[in-house]
Amino acid sequence: MFFAVAKRYLVLFPVFVFVTVIIFTVIVPCSHPKDVMGYLHEIPVMLVGLGMFFKGFERLRKKYIIENIPTSKIRSVAMGLTEVAGTAQNKYPLYSPITRTGCVYYRFLVEKENKGNKGNTYWTVINQGESTNYFYIEDNTGKILVDPDGAEIILPPDYKYTELSGESAPGARKRYTEWYIRPGDAVYVLGTVKKFNDGIDSHREKLIERLRLLKSDSEMMKHVDTDKDGNVSPAEWDTARLNVEKNLLEEELAENKFDDDILIGKSEISRDFVISDRSEKDIAWELDFKGYFMVISGFLVAILVFASFLSRTGILRGGPLIPWEILYKRC
Amino acid sequence: MGAAILFLVAVGLIVVGVVIYLIGVYNQLVHIKINIDKSWANIEVLEKQRYDEIPKLVKVCEGYMKYESETLEKIIAARTRFLGAKTPAEMASADTNLSGALKTLFAVSERYPDLKANDNFKQLQDRVSYLENQIADRREYYNDSVAIYNTRIKQIPDVFIARFLNYQPDEMYDIPDTEKASPDINFNFPK
């Protein structure tokens, strides 16, 4: 996930290298050593500000996509980008790793507290993960499989726990966070409906498994040996095999197993894939808020730091100068 | 000098932001418009499937419903009318006509126990009913898409870009009032 996002912004890397080379070959040699620390902070922070500015527009774009696509009934979903809403149902049993809660999807994060040289504390991630099990989303017209792999999951944390000071060695506290969607929870999915062949594959696997069980059961094999000569002839085996397959087909049809020939998942061409336990309106509001916040704050950060940068180089006289060294001083 | 550079960079960033925003609005309008075309095409896919099932249904019924030739002819006529429909309004009208004729057929089929017991008929009836439900869902989806589009092209700032693109309000899939009447079904149960 991190690498997928990083790859998208890889295009900024040459710009970063170019700007850094210019700064350190043209401006820094003439500066006071104290200013070097200023430049080292200002360039990345400026890029972060610009990144927030552009990322904010991406958030707003996603918000409009969510608002502009009507919600489909699951019974009649068409191939391509689709929005559905309903309740989550398990396809396979699943339990979250920290709280052992029965769920259809989970994500967890374990962090460890560290102490810095100056006595400050910070948290580092020591373990994290998420489930990739398929699950169903069901509305009043039917249900459809969801493959959560690669989705942007918008969920509030369901469990948060920070160890108390005495629970572990000093400076080695752990913090646990878990997110999950339980069966029956309301779910919103924006994703791409596509063909899925797992239904056929699982049928084949089940058939092989049943035939294997039949072969290993001597009592059952006696029924296969219809002429009771002590040997199962190829013809007798073919008849038994057909019966097993017929029974399996009947069971699958009764369970509507072949409805699983389509699913909602990630697309090769569209980057819009959202799963959330919130309503469409709430998600749109959150994206709207975050989008405008990132655009405005990114703009302000970039301009303020650029002003400090210009002041440091002496181009802007009397401008603001951000005292970065304060970050390294103990209060 | 420094203040001028700072001012130019700030203005430049604002201009970039405005341009990105306007490109976003333009792309959204195009996306919504294409979504309407797509949802219309998705209705047509199902209509075509239903259209293809009708001759099979009529063929199965013919053998049993010798005295219901008028009902069967109505279905064939409705199917032909449906083929000629082009606009959403025409299609809505032809579709209501065809759905009404099919409902009449299924209601009349109650009088023919042998037909009701026929596996082919049961299968076709289920298939046509399922397709009708799906078509109804997709019509609703189409109308939602049109409603979003018609609203967006009247909102600021979208209205300026919509005018530039010459986008006009789209037509909903409305069933004409004359077609909303219940189908005329006469049950002639033996006394």
Side-chain angles (χ1 to χ4, degrees), chain A residues 4-211:
Chain A
V5 174
K7 215 163 72 181
R8 216 178 285 158
Y9 295 100
L10 213 61
V11 68
L12 288 175
F13 187 69
V15 179
F16 177 75
V17 172
F18 177 74
V19 172
T20 312
V21 168
I22 293 293
I23 298 298
F24 283 90
T25 54
V26 180
I27 303 170
V28 172
C30 315
S31 308
H32 188 273
K34 189 181 150 192
D35 290 336
V36 176
M37 183 179 275
Y39 294 129
L40 281 172
H41 285 84
E42 275 153 8
I43 297 162
V45 173
M46 251 190 297
L47 288 174
V48 167
L50 284 175
M52 276 173 70
F53 180 73
F54 292 112
K55 186 75 185 165
F57 284 107
E58 168 60 19
R59 299 274 85 188
L60 291 174
R61 187 197 67 82
K62 191 157 275 180
K63 173 228 166 189
Y64 286 119
I65 289 279
I66 287 172
E67 280 184 342
N68 292 340
I69 294 183
T71 307
S72 288
K73 297 267 174 62
I74 289 174
R75 172 176 59 192
S76 57
V77 286
M79 296 291 162
L81 192 62
T82 305
E83 177 185 287
V84 290
T87 53
Q89 304 293 342
N90 277 111
K91 180 169 170 70
Y92 308 107
L94 184 69
Y95 295 92
S96 64
I98 298 173
T99 59
R100 306 297 297 159
T101 306
C103 58
V104 299
Y105 169 85
Y106 68 76
R107 181 149 61 95
F108 73 94
L109 181 69
V110 183
E111 294 157 293
K112 187 173 167 263
E113 189 182 35
N114 296 282
K115 277 198 189 287
N117 293 336
K118 308 268 182 184
N120 55 323
T121 57
Y122 59 95
W123 294 89
T124 50
V125 176
I126 56 169
N127 196 7
Q128 62 178 323
E130 62 180 330
S131 66
T132 52
N133 281 20
Y134 295 157
F135 64 88
Y136 288 109
I137 177 167
E138 185 174 27
D139 70 5
N140 56 355
T141 64
K143 62 180 180 178
I144 187 169
L145 268 184
V146 180
D147 174 8
D149 188 26
E152 179 184 346
I153 309 281
I154 303 176
L155 294 175
D158 292 289
Y159 176 79
K160 263 184 151 181
Y161 177 70
T162 307
E163 286 178 346
L164 300 172
S165 301
E167 278 187 77
S168 49
R173 284 195 306 161
K174 283 180 191 154
R175 187 162 67 187
Y176 303 86
T177 314
E178 196 173 70
W179 298 258
Y180 47 74
I181 301 170
R182 284 172 301 187
D185 281 355
V187 183
Y188 166 91
V189 180
L190 172 80
T192 303
V193 176
K194 52 189 179 180
K195 281 272 175 199
F196 172 54
N197 292 324
D198 195 48
I200 294 160
D201 294 342
S202 100
H203 169 79
R204 200 175 297 134
E205 278 169 24
K206 274 187 184 168
L207 181 63
I208 292 167
E209 178 63 16
R210 288 196 183 189
L211 291 173

Side-chain angles (χ1 to χ4, degrees), chain A residues 258-289:
Chain A
F258 292 106
D259 283 355
D260 290 356
D261 58 350
I262 56 168
L263 60 70
I264 303 184
K266 191 174 65 175
S267 157
E268 299 297 320
I269 47 169
S270 169
R271 55 199 148 129
D272 302 307
F273 184 23
V274 177
I275 297 176
S276 178
D277 63 351
R278 296 182 192 179
S279 69
E280 180 188 347
K281 202 176 158 191
D282 289 348
I283 301 167
W285 187 89
E286 188 182 317
L287 289 171
D288 199 29
F289 176 78

Side-chain angles (χ1 to χ4, degrees), chain B residues 174-189:
Chain B
D174 273 338
I175 297 167
D177 289 339
T178 49
E179 309 281 351
K180 284 180 184 166
S182 305
D184 186 19
I185 303 169
N186 294 314
F187 292 99
N188 296 317
F189 293 113

Side-chain angles (χ1 to χ4, degrees), chain A residues 228-248:
Chain A
K228 308 290 176 196
D229 64 350
N231 287 318
V232 175
S233 68
E236 285 169 339
W237 177 248
D238 280 347
T239 310
R241 190 184 177 285
L242 281 173
N243 281 337
V244 169
E245 184 154 23
K246 191 180 159 221
N247 289 340
L248 179 62

Side-chain angles (χ1 to χ4, degrees), chain B:
Chain B
M1 170 71 176
I5 292 174
L6 187 64
F7 178 75
L8 280 176
V9 168
V11 170
L13 211 51
I14 291 170
V15 169
V16 167
V18 170
V19 169
I20 292 174
Y21 182 75
L22 291 177
I23 289 172
V25 172
Y26 173 88
N27 285 343
Q28 285 158 35
L29 284 179
V30 171
H31 179 260
I32 297 169
K33 185 79 177 152
I34 288 172
N35 197 40
I36 291 175
D37 296 341
K38 189 183 135 196
S39 52
W40 179 253
N42 284 335
I43 296 175
E44 287 183 325
V45 167
L46 293 180
E47 300 271 22
K48 174 75 174 65
Q49 287 179 18
R50 183 179 59 168
Y51 180 85
D52 290 343
E53 296 294 342
I54 290 169
K56 295 180 209 165
L57 190 66
V58 170
K59 200 161 179 56
V60 172
C61 295
E62 267 174 352
Y64 297 90
M65 301 166 73
K66 287 174 187 153
Y67 308 106
E68 305 290 350
S69 56
E70 198 187 330
T71 309
L72 297 177
E73 276 163 16
K74 267 187 190 170
I75 290 179
I76 299 293
R79 182 179 180 261
T80 312
R81 188 183 156 198
F82 184 80
L83 194 64
K86 294 280 177 266
T87 64
E90 284 171 6
M91 199 173 235
S93 169
D95 183 68
T96 315
N97 200 262
L98 183 58
S99 293
L102 284 167
K103 272 180 195 151
T104 309
L105 173 74
F106 293 141
V108 169
S109 72
E110 297 290 333
R111 278 191 255 160
Y112 300 88
D114 291 345
L115 175 64
K116 284 287 291 173
N118 183 300
D119 283 343
N120 270 351
F121 177 76
K122 277 196 281 187
Q123 212 176 6
L124 284 164
Q125 189 181 17
D126 288 348
R127 169 97 178 120
V128 170
S129 300
Y130 188 68
L131 284 171
E132 295 232 309
N133 287 334
Q134 283 190 309
I135 290 167
D137 292 344
R138 288 199 180 173
R139 269 188 225 142
E140 203 179 310
Y141 184 89
Y142 172 82
N143 281 346
D144 286 345
S145 303
V146 172
I148 290 170
Y149 167 76
N150 286 351
T151 310
R152 287 290 303 264
I153 61 168
K154 285 177 186 161
Q155 286 177 335
I156 293 173
D158 304 40
V159 65
F160 305 115
I161 293 174
R163 273 187 201 159
F164 170 73
L165 291 169
N166 198 25
Y167 276 4
Q168 301 297 323
D170 239 321
E171 200 181 338
M172 291 265 194
Y173 199 119
D174 273 338
I175 297 167
D177 289 339
T178 49
E179 309 281 351
K180 284 180 184 166
S182 305
D184 186 19
I185 303 169
N186 294 314
F187 292 99
N188 296 317
F189 293 113
K191 288 179 184 173

